[in-house]
Amino acid sequence: AEAGDAAALTALMEPLHPADIADVLEQMDREPRDRLIALYGHEFDGDILSELEESVREEVIATLAPDVLTDAVRELESDDVVDLIEDLDEAQRSEILDALGAADRLAVEQALSFPEYSAGRLMQREVVTAPAHWTVGDAIDFMRAKEDLPDQFYHIVLVDPRHQPVAYVTLGKVMSSRRDIALMDLAEPSFRTIPVTQDEEDVAYAFNQYHLISAPVVDEDGRLVGVITIDDAMAVLSEENEEDLLRLAGVGDESLSDRTLQIARQRFPWLFVNLLTAILASIVIAQFEDVLAAIVALAVLMPIVASMGGNAGTQSLTVAVRSLATRDLTGANALRVIRREITAGLINGCIFAVIMGVVGVVWFGTPMLGIVLGAAMIINMVVAGLAGILVPLTLEKVGVDPALASGAFVTTVTDIVGFFAFLGLAALLLL
Amino acid sequence: AEAGDAAALTALMEPLHPADIADVLEQMDREPRDRLIALYGHEFDGDILSELEESVREEVIATLAPDVLTDAVRELESDDVVDLIEDLDEAQRSEILDALGAADRLAVEQALSFPEYSAGRLMQREVVTAPAHWTVGDAIDFMRAKEDLPDQFYHIVLVDPRHQPVAYVTLGKVMSSRRDIALMDLAEPSFRTIPVTQDEEDVAYAFNQYHLISAPVVDEDGRLVGVITIDDAMAVLSEENEEDLLRLAGVGDESLSDRTLQIARQRFPWLFVNLLTAILASIVIAQFEDVLAAIVALAVLMPIVASMGGNAGTQSLTVAVRSLATRDLTGANALRVIRREITAGLINGCIFAVIMGVVGVVWFGTPMLGIVLGAAMIINMVVAGLAGILVPLTLEKVGVDPALASGAFVTTVTDIVGFFAFLGLAALLLL
């Protein structure tokens, strides 16, 4: 029966893309997943491993029989192996490295010698090159004769005698040109090289900004060491965007397949920081116990001031963090953007001051309470605009990811300023 | 002198990529920008227009002399023209359409007949095709003979006699194979077609999920109408991610080059929604005026409960919105994720209940206050986990972008539940 089940399973999985199989595995609980993998057995495709997200991948690798794992990994390109093992622990890592042939192992180990998140980790080492003095005919003859061209390539990189890339040509141009044309005459204007130590975030930015399809990677002497293609850059871009989104919400590298305890632990630090800042705000409120005891309406209305400031601050902050990531916010226009945020805060602050002032008067029948509420609103929304832009700019300047820490700072500022302005003005004008 | 300035400017701009020139223009104030463009004059490159963001682009197009605009647009590929004019007003749109040759105009008008944000708008119409029965030699001879191959192409699409795509081959494979090999034998396993009406978000997802480089686009009869390449999909992915990030923070399609008044107006609606929900929370607080008047400590501590719930809710919400966007959260695992969020909320709720309980006792010396604070914390964090996942799931189900509206709902729930639980328990146990 088990053999029959295995055959049925294989037939069911056959038409699925490895990425879809990986998604199915990620959505399953561990125990049925392990049984499914055991049943699937020797058919296990290396590409499925590449597609799995980190936390599930570790568990699956631990489950696979050594020979199945070996077969799965041997099928992969060297850059996929690098991607696969850089997150694994030492034991799993050497298990996989041992499974590779000597040449592949060397390639993977060299890639791992580059810093994490660098172009060196991202690139593939197989590049199709041609001397810069060749003609179309030379290139075609060379390619027809060559046994082991990479699976996917889009450009031929032209190199000088020192193996420094000087240009590239697209296969389409080569194909449609006469044999006697010099390759250099077909060079693409989009050509640019990427330093092997460049951060992968900058690599993704360059691909998106300059519409690159592939780009040669060079070492510090300008010599060609590999090539990065747009699909790898697209994956990085997607990850970086996800990271910013999650970090802004105070969530770490969390994925949907993480276990409950992991989730709770990952979210705890940000919640704890938030607790400290909330206590700070409470200490501010505590300074005004006399006013609060005298006028209970203040306790009813004060969360509105803080909440509006927090929201306005988050708006400014998010635009700033995104603009820093896309390099739209720079030293050149920072002052202009700061001025704009303050003015926008002032405009909306004034409008909401009027609305809130009216609400305060109508609700509690005290005109002065309306004035206090409106004034506090204006102050807090201007401060929100200012904090929303200055905090991420400052963090970026000192080398901290602004997406990571800005939120806590900004809402702390708007909470404290909001409560202080509202209760302080109330103490001055209402007591 | 002006002629000298113009020459100097051109020399300065020459080495810059159009995308970088566009960035410079976006960072300038309108008046100096207009003067720079006037000076730059006839050299104005159509690609710069493509790279500009919408708000600046409209202003620049309004500035350009008609003949400069005409020249700039004529250089562009038809899909870039579509991208350029779909956001313009009617007058600017027809000005550009009139500048095009008859064939280009037809192509652009056909593209515009597809729904906005559909594959039809994204695709380019120029595709290199070959009959499915051809050999490598046939394809090479055909390409050498063809005059007007697209600038960039990576695949040859194989079509049946009814012009329905059945496979594709990479240029690299064609180049490195013998002339007598059938093209079908070189077909790539990654082949998949895209319906012309498919939403561009789904197109980007398919490219990212299946590592596509290009994909043929088909009409409802399965006939080839165009091709989408990965660079276009990458741009869409980047925009979609940006949209989710900004919408979660209550910011619309805002860009850094928008004017102050625009900014203030775009942010107003979300702030107004937030005001309404904050007033709702205040109404809840108002129900407990007696308790607040009796125990001022409650007013000092109540923002902590609301703030912690809001943060925990935002964490769950952000993970849920992202997982919906990446198709990781589906009907199949929704129940499991809901259970997980509730449990994680319970775990962290209990930990913070202990911390906060101690804080409450130490600060105000009332053990029962600590118990009230802790219990309210547990209730609110469980509710936060539940709301953070249920709200986006429900919105997605009824067809509203969960990134757009979830934040307001979730923080409303956590504010109201937080204040009600804390003050309600206090009324029961402390009065």
Side-chain angles (χ1 to χ4, degrees), chain A residues 216-360:
Chain A
V217 180
V218 295
D219 65 15
E220 67 252 31
D221 300 323
R223 267 189 281 263
L224 185 69
V225 290
V227 67
I228 293 175
T229 48
I230 186 176
D231 51 326
D232 297 319
M234 189 173 179
V236 170
L237 187 78
S238 175
E239 277 163 30
E240 293 286 339
N241 285 331
E242 172 161 315
E243 196 181 82
D244 278 357
L245 182 80
L246 294 180
R247 284 185 167 181
L248 269 174
V251 190
D253 292 330
E254 182 175 317
S255 79
L256 211 62
S257 49
D258 286 348
R259 281 156 212 298
T260 309
L261 262 178
Q262 265 176 297
I263 294 283
R265 204 171 48 218
Q266 275 162 349
R267 293 188 189 169
F268 183 86
W270 176 264
L271 290 170
F272 189 75
V273 169
N274 182 62
L275 178 65
L276 296 182
T277 70
I279 290 176
L280 218 61
S282 287
I283 293 175
V284 172
I285 300 173
Q287 308 314 307
F288 298 94
E289 280 192 15
D290 298 347
V291 208
L292 283 166
I295 311 166
V296 179
L298 297 179
V300 174
L301 293 173
M302 71 182 183
I304 301 183
V305 179
S307 160
M308 291 297 283
N311 266 270
T314 304
Q315 289 180 330
S316 302
L317 166 65
T318 304
V319 172
V321 166
R322 177 67 190 176
S323 304
L324 283 170
T326 57
R327 320 284 204 270
D328 287 329
L329 177 56
T330 62
N333 61 352
L335 263 178
R336 197 155 56 90
V337 174
I338 293 170
R339 213 168 53 219
R340 197 195 61 173
E341 287 295 333
I342 296 175
T343 317
L346 190 63
I347 294 171
N348 278 334
C350 289
I351 298 174
F352 284 109
V354 172
I355 301 176
M356 290 291 303
V358 171
V359 168

Side-chain angles (χ1 to χ4, degrees), chain A residues 275, chain B residues 304-305 308 349 352-353 356 372-381:
Chain A
L275 178 65
Chain B
I304 301 183
V305 179
M308 292 297 283
F352 284 109
M356 290 292 303
V372 167
L373 195 51
M377 184 69 77
I378 294 177
I379 293 172
N380 207 21
M381 287 191 64

Side-chain angles (χ1 to χ4, degrees), chain A residues 28 39 42-43 71 113 125 148 170 233 237 269-270 309 329 334:
Chain A
M28 295 176 76
L39 202 56
H42 284 265
E43 311 283 338
D71 285 348
S113 73
R125 300 165 55 85
D148 55 338
T170 68
L237 187 78
W270 176 264
L329 177 56

